Amino acid sequence: DTAVSQTPKYLVTQMGNDKSIKCEQNLGHDTMYWYKQDSKKFLKIMFSYNNKELIINETVPNRFSPKSPDKAHLNLHINSLELGDSAVYFCASSQPGRQETQYFGPGTRLLVL
Amino acid sequence: RKEVEQDPGPFNVPEGATVAFNCTYSNSASQSFFWYRQDCRKEPKLLMSVYSSGNEDGRFTAQLNRASQYISLLIRDSKLSDSATYLCVVNIRGSGDKLTFGTGTRLAVRP
């Protein structure tokens, strides 16, 4: 029974393409996040949504657009992919005020060629 | 300067050894502290929170020194299954639910 799931697990694409990554959580959490982990393993928050409302938006290029159709889903759309976008993208969720217990999805490994 | 700094390692230790990791944070408004564990090619998972008075969970002991702005994790009687990357994580007052991660310290426990 997967708590936080992401699709796809792997994504290989050409520069300039547009791609989406989907995330779903069945934990009933109100808050969801997107993180990027680069080749140096540095995990950095990109966005956070609370009950479909954007609450954290780090300095991420506007080619990245999160969308939350409901509080159980937070998708990430990336336009005009660049080589530097290659990374592992993790979705996570938590309850507000319980940020220490963030449950992460398995990650999506994106490779831009 | 990174907000959360860790020695990347790797720390190579034999089974049964005791190993300690340190982490320093730069923002004095940091209010909550955690250790996460990330296995190779897996997602991070919460290992334990770090309380001001120090806390223990089985073989794992976490300490916080607010004056020096560092956090430590001690693992006693290392097991092969402890091999992973240990991420030091802080929450900064006023940042809401945002967690700031260190780059992690890699531990390799050998037979």
Side-chain angles (χ1 to χ4, degrees):
Chain A
D1 216 13
T2 307
V4 183
S5 59
Q6 294 179 229
T7 53
K9 286 191 79 171
Y10 300 94
L11 189 51
V12 181
T13 189
Q14 300 283 341
M15 269 176 57
N17 284 349
D18 303 338
K19 290 292 178 188
S20 291
I21 308 172
K22 296 188 175 182
C23 177
E24 177 181 0
Q25 54 95 4
N26 62 8
L27 297 166
H29 289 164
D30 289 334
T31 306
M32 295 185 72
Y33 312 81
W34 275 110
Y35 287 87
K36 178 180 179 180
Q37 189 168 44
D38 61 25
S39 56
K40 294 193 167 80
K41 307 298 183 192
F42 182 48
L43 189 65
K44 190 164 165 48
I45 191 165
M46 300 171 70
F47 302 102
S48 169
Y49 269 71
N50 181 265
N51 211 1
K52 301 195 298 172
E53 184 183 336
L54 180 67
I55 53 173
I56 294 174
N57 184 350
E58 293 293 289
T59 48
V60 177
N62 58 15
R63 298 181 294 105
F64 290 78
S65 51
K67 286 205 170 35
S68 182
D70 56 62
K71 74 172 195 177
H73 295 84
L74 180 62
N75 303 324
L76 184 64
H77 188 76
I78 316 171
N79 287 329
S80 303
L81 278 155
E82 299 177 358
L83 295 177
D85 297 333
S86 297
V88 183
Y89 291 85
F90 287 101
C91 176
S93 73
S94 71
Q95 279 296 70
R98 293 297 311 276
Q99 77 282 116
E100 73 277 11
T101 313
Q102 291 190 13
Y103 293 84
F104 283 76
T108 295
R109 282 159 181 79
L110 171 65
L111 178 60
V112 183
L113 301 174
Chain B
R1 187 183 169 188
K2 288 191 187 130
E3 289 184 280
V4 180
E5 296 222 46
Q6 296 181 249
D7 179 344
F11 284 58
N12 288 299
V13 302
E15 269 187 293
T18 294
V19 62
F21 308 136
N22 288 331
C23 160
T24 56
Y25 58 94
S26 59
N27 193 325
S28 58
S30 299
Q31 61 178 1
S32 307
F33 310 89
F34 317 98
W35 284 101
Y36 271 67
R37 170 192 168 132
Q38 186 173 21
D39 292 314
C40 187
R41 300 181 69 77
K42 297 283 190 183
E43 70 273 21
K45 291 183 180 175
L46 177 67
L47 178 66
M48 60 197 300
S49 299
V50 186
Y51 303 122
S52 296
S53 53
N55 50 297
E56 195 173 298
D57 183 1
R59 299 181 292 107
F60 298 82
T61 302
Q63 298 274 1
L64 168 63
N65 184 320
R66 284 188 190 270
S68 303
Q69 297 189 185
Y70 85 75
I71 306 144
S72 65
L73 178 68
L74 183 80
I75 305 176
R76 287 182 299 278
D77 188 23
S78 300
K79 312 286 184 200
L80 293 175
S81 57
D82 294 334
S83 298
T85 296
Y86 291 83
L87 303 166
C88 178
V89 186
V90 308
N91 170 254
I92 298 166
R93 190 181 318 117
S95 72
D97 287 338
K98 176 182 166 183
L99 295 182
T100 300
F101 285 76
T103 48
T105 297
R106 196 152 66 86
L107 172 66
V109 181
R110 61 181 189 272

